[in-house]
Amino acid sequence: MASNLNGRALLISLVLLLALLGIWQLATHSTGAASASNLSAEQIEYLKMLGKDPGTQKQGGFPTPAQMGATVWKHLADPFYDKGPNDKGIAIQLGHSLARVGLGFLLACVVAIPLGFVIGMSPLLHKALDPFIQILKPISPLAWMPLALYTIKDSSASGIFVIFICSVWPMLINTAFGVASVKREWLNVARTLEVKPLRKAFQVILPAAAPTILTGMRISMGIAWLVIVAAEMLVGGTGIGYFVWNEWNNLSLTNVLFAIGVIGVMGMLLDLVFARLQKWVTYAD
Amino acid sequence: MLFDFSPYDADRPLLMRCTCGKDHTVAEHQKEQAAQSATTELIRRSQTEEFEAYSNAFVEASLIKAIFPQERERRNFLRAVGKGTAMAAIASVLPIASMQAMAQEAGKKPGTLEKTNLKIGFIPITCATPLIMAHPLGFYSKQGLNVEVTKTAGWALIRDKMINKEYDATHFLSPMPLAISMGVGSTQVPMNVATIQNTNGQAITLANKHKDKRDPKLWKGLKFAVPFEFSMHNFLLRYYVAEAGLNPDTDIQIRVVPPPEMVANLRAGNIDGYLGPDPFNQRAVFEEIGFIHILTKELWDGHPCCAFGSSTEFIQSNPNTFAALYRAVLNAAAMARGPENRELIAKVIAPQAYLNQPETVLTQVLTGRFADGLGNIKTVPDRADFNPIPWQSMAVWMLTQMKRWGYIKGDVNYKQIAEKVFLLTDAKKRMTELGMKAPEGAYPKFTIMGKVFDAAKPDEYVNSFAINKMG
């Protein structure tokens, strides 16, 4: 039954994809180009100045699926080229973004998980820190950026800081929640057996809270990936966000669409990694 | 056409893959080749003796003209001290003056330059042309510099990266160094303008639906965009509408919008027009969503727009490096001024690494033969120009407008600020130190929309405007 279900789902996905492509093709289909006959020389020059050479079709605006396909192929065929600081292949841009996200996320882990542990163990600290967390949590990455640039005085470090500050909260809150809701009986058992605090933390609480902590990390990774694009559009230089900004500068929707696709696929892959990890640490009672 | 393999065309090879071995279409290959051959041709031109002589003369003339804006003074000075003394004197006072000789030495004698790896920021607009083209044409490396020109996402970021010292020198909007040096809109850090990058080159673009509103008196309630508050764009737009009797603060809306987004916002109808940098005026025409209402050249012929500069601290601690950099940019300006080079320059700066724009748009901006969006082809060869002299009276004018629109308050010591920021002063100060009579009058008069601006009487000028925000 399951394989049958999968098959049918795949079929529906494919039909949806085809329908989407069909609508796209219809929506972007243009009626032929202007012909050169009965135009004066000046009119022809004018058309050329608008990028509409008689006899050809102007590229630009919303691309057709075929144009999109050609662009995707062009980028994927040579993803590692490097022509100076302002023109790099898509894989290199992606690498820069991933490195920034990785670093910011790691920093967030280093801070959020131990702190979350402490908050989860101590209701007093939880109450005391809660107002700060609640206020800092909803701040948009773009609001942090000017402050970061002003104080850190380094644009790439600012980018990493913004990733850090935005991905720290879900991890912190989830870790605290996971630690706080470890079953009482287990802690009681640990107490009766006189387990030392450090051993209790690593052998009882951590495994019990791990699924919740990983949920927090998964949410944080999603946020970090959202944030990096916005941050790089603002800071420029390198990365997938810069790529989007640069193509936006050229009003090239085709390339922007391509970047959106890449960002989506990469985000999905990152999420998949954490989904796997989550499965790995989850166990049945 | 896409996928144009032309299998039945006898005159063309059947290219499933480009002959150069890369995966791109023939058209793209041709474009790449064209950009490369344009670069090669411009490099060849830059290495001819004529160009070197012309460029040297251009640089020297720029300097002399900057120090002696009034012809009579220059002659008197030369007569009084003699050519040799004058040249020696100028060489001793300007860090930039000795660069003729130094530039040739730099390559041979490493060590004269304090710093050779430099980072320069630019905004991808045609105003940055000299700064950008100096890179592919090898003008920086010829001075012994290894320069990385970095595309930057916006003017605020340029300001921050300059203050943070991430950039050694940068493309500025010419009022920006004034504002930063005064601490208006940022922390106060002394900045200098070394050269004006470009003159003219901006335009007011309106959305197609306003074709019948060619008189600015009809603009009440419209929404406009400018790229940055401290920009000639903002000051010129305000000036223009105020001359038409509208108050730019109450009768129209002016927003700060990054240039590429101006085009998109115009299309979406969020704004009705903008006074923006090129190529985005021409781009709006190319996209068939707007038309060029008026070139800023027609408001003030020869007005400055963008500048090239650095922090005072950088210049003081790296005088030789700065001189080399200065010379590279001036050489590029000399080349960019030549109308015969403009078409090739458009090819060189069109690729993704630089402006990332359709070549035809850049060609129209730089050659001045362009479609205006109303169905006409216009020919205005000096639509964009690259005259590098940073007249201090330009700075005074910007300060008068900053005062007029309430960006700075109270008494302004116009000359003092202008002389501090626009780099001509150094020369004058050091000439006085050497016991030479410093020339007066780095303050030529300008005519802006028919009204003469005299930098000697800035307050009179400011107070002469009925529409202002000095209240």
Side-chain angles (χ1 to χ4, degrees), chain B residues 59-69 77 85-99 192-194 312 315-316 322 326 389-392 418-443:
Chain B
V59 171
E60 250 173 42
S62 299
L63 289 174
I64 297 290
K65 205 171 170 202
I67 304 173
F68 305 102
F77 179 75
T85 321
M87 281 174 72
I90 288 162
S92 68
V93 293
L94 273 174
I96 37 185
S98 52
M99 62 196 177
N192 284 120
V193 167
T312 310
I315 297 172
Q316 279 170 356
F322 183 72
Y326 193 107
I389 302 166
W391 296 119
Q392 283 159 351
E419 289 178 4
K420 227 186 225 162
V421 177
F422 277 44
L423 252 193
L424 300 183
T425 348
D426 240 22
K428 281 176 69 177
K429 198 175 75 198
R430 290 193 203 165
M431 285 178 96
T432 326
E433 280 168 12
L434 288 172
M436 292 174 5
K437 190 181 170 293
E440 279 309 315
Y443 295 96

Side-chain angles (χ1 to χ4, degrees), chain A residues 261-281:
Chain A
V262 169
I263 293 166
V265 170
M266 202 63 229
M268 185 185 75
L269 289 178
L270 287 173
D271 194 61
L272 226 64
V273 169
F274 280 90
R276 278 282 154 81
L277 279 176
Q278 228 175 342
K279 228 181 202 169
W280 184 59
V281 296

Side-chain angles (χ1 to χ4, degrees), chain B residues 103 106-107 113 116 134-147 324 328:
Chain B
L113 297 174
T116 48
H135 186 254
L137 297 187
F139 288 2
Y140 293 122
S141 46
K142 204 167 134 197
Q143 306 294 329
L145 297 172
N146 176 21
V147 171

Side-chain angles (χ1 to χ4, degrees), chain A residues 41-43 45-46 48-52 55-61 64 66-70 73-75 77-78 81 83 85-88 146 149-150 152-156 232-237 242-243 245-252 255, chain B residues 1-3 17 22-24 28 32 122 124 135 148-154 157 160-161 163-164 166 187 259-261 263-264 267 280 282-283 285-288 352-358 360-361 364 369-378:
Chain A
E42 181 155 318
Q43 279 169 321
E45 190 185 354
Y46 192 84
K48 277 190 179 165
M49 283 176 164
L50 298 183
K52 296 196 292 191
T56 64
Q57 253 169 5
K58 183 172 178 174
Q59 296 219 11
T64 63
Q67 285 170 339
M68 193 65 222
W73 176 245
K74 194 186 91 192
H75 284 297
D78 189 10
Y81 75 86
K83 293 185 201 156
N86 306 314
D87 189 5
K88 296 182 199 297
L149 274 173
Y150 190 87
I152 300 177
K153 293 185 188 290
D154 181 278
S155 54
S156 54
E232 285 172 345
M233 279 182 88
L234 217 66
V235 175
Y242 167 78
F243 179 87
W245 174 80
N246 194 21
E247 292 308 331
W248 171 230
N249 218 35
N250 186 18
L251 304 168
S252 165
N255 283 328
Chain B
M1 271 295 283
L2 202 75
F3 298 136
R17 179 179 253 260
K22 279 198 216 142
D23 254 307
H24 51 198
E28 258 174 72
E32 252 174 49
F122 75 95
H135 186 254
E148 193 176 289
V149 283
T150 308
K151 202 187 284 189
T152 311
L157 197 65
D160 291 346
K161 288 197 171 188
I163 294 176
N164 293 350
E166 274 185 56
T187 33
E261 290 172 30
V263 180
R267 190 200 300 272
F280 293 102
Q282 201 58 49
R283 190 70 201 254
V285 173
F286 182 82
E287 302 288 329
E288 297 172 73
Q352 190 163 13
Y354 302 110
L355 295 195
N356 195 17
Q357 289 285 339
T360 171
V361 172
Q364 290 177 63
R369 185 166 168 78
F370 62 96
D372 67 352
L374 295 164
N376 313 310
I377 294 178
K378 290 200 171 162

Side-chain angles (χ1 to χ4, degrees), chain A residues 177-214:
Chain A
F177 174 75
V179 170
S181 47
V182 173
K183 284 191 181 138
R184 286 289 118 196
E185 304 94 78
W186 298 356
L187 294 178
N188 288 340
V189 169
R191 190 175 297 154
T192 4
L193 294 176
E194 289 184 357
V195 177
K196 290 208 172 84
L198 213 61
R199 199 168 159 211
K200 187 173 82 178
F202 278 100
Q203 292 201 329
V204 181
I205 300 175
L206 190 65
T212 331
I213 295 175
L214 262 161

